[in-house]
Amino acid sequence: MPRKASPNMNNEVPDTEENDVSKSDHKNEDEVEKLTYMLGAVMNYLSDDELEELDVEYLLDETKGLREWWDRYRESNKKLIEEEIKKSLGELSLKELEEIREKIKEKQN
């Protein structure tokens, strides 16, 4: 009499927390691979002895994924800067606060 196939004999991974962790690990490995590539490209560029002047725009344009990563990084850093500013407002003088308000008004116009 043939044996009944166990659920895992079809090489299917059940939808479990372990499977989610495996997907997460794979995603992290992909991200590490992309970051490693970008870091290598940047280091190759910086270590070029024939370079007389660094061109960051060239580096961002010519390194696949670097500009997108840099924009995401700057956006996440923006939130930290905003929090730092909010926390330090109480320490500023009235004159400094008024100067900031004027700059904001100029920006809005």
Side-chain angles (χ1 to χ4, degrees):
M1 202 175 193
R3 292 174 62 179
K4 200 174 189 183
S6 70
N8 290 334
M9 286 195 66
N10 297 336
N11 291 330
E12 293 178 14
V13 179
D15 218 11
T16 63
E17 185 176 321
E18 185 176 307
N19 190 23
D20 291 342
V21 170
S22 176
K23 288 179 185 176
S24 177
D25 286 346
H26 185 65
K27 185 178 177 183
N28 287 341
E29 288 174 11
D30 288 347
E31 186 69 15
V32 167
E33 190 174 315
K34 289 176 189 174
L35 290 171
T36 300
Y37 163 78
M38 289 187 283
L39 179 59
V42 169
M43 293 305 295
N44 281 334
Y45 178 79
L46 293 176
S47 64
D48 185 350
D49 292 336
E50 296 180 16
L51 273 179
E52 293 181 19
E53 185 175 302
L54 297 178
D55 185 353
V56 175
E57 283 301 313
Y58 171 83
L59 197 53
L60 291 170
D61 290 339
E62 298 299 317
T63 305
K64 181 181 175 186
L66 186 58
R67 183 174 299 279
E68 293 79 15
W69 174 85
W70 181 239
D71 291 342
R72 284 192 320 267
Y73 175 81
R74 290 178 62 216
E75 187 60 37
S76 68
N77 196 41
K78 177 185 172 192
K79 291 173 180 37
L80 293 174
I81 293 170
E82 289 173 355
E83 287 302 314
E84 287 177 17
I85 290 171
K86 286 178 188 177
K87 290 177 183 175
S88 66
L89 287 176
E91 300 170 11
L92 298 176
S93 69
L94 179 58
K95 182 179 178 186
E96 291 169 322
L97 289 171
E98 288 172 342
E99 289 172 359
I100 292 171
R101 182 171 60 186
E102 286 303 313
K103 288 180 184 179
I104 292 171
K105 283 182 181 179
E106 288 172 11
K107 180 89 173 164
Q108 290 174 342
N109 293 332

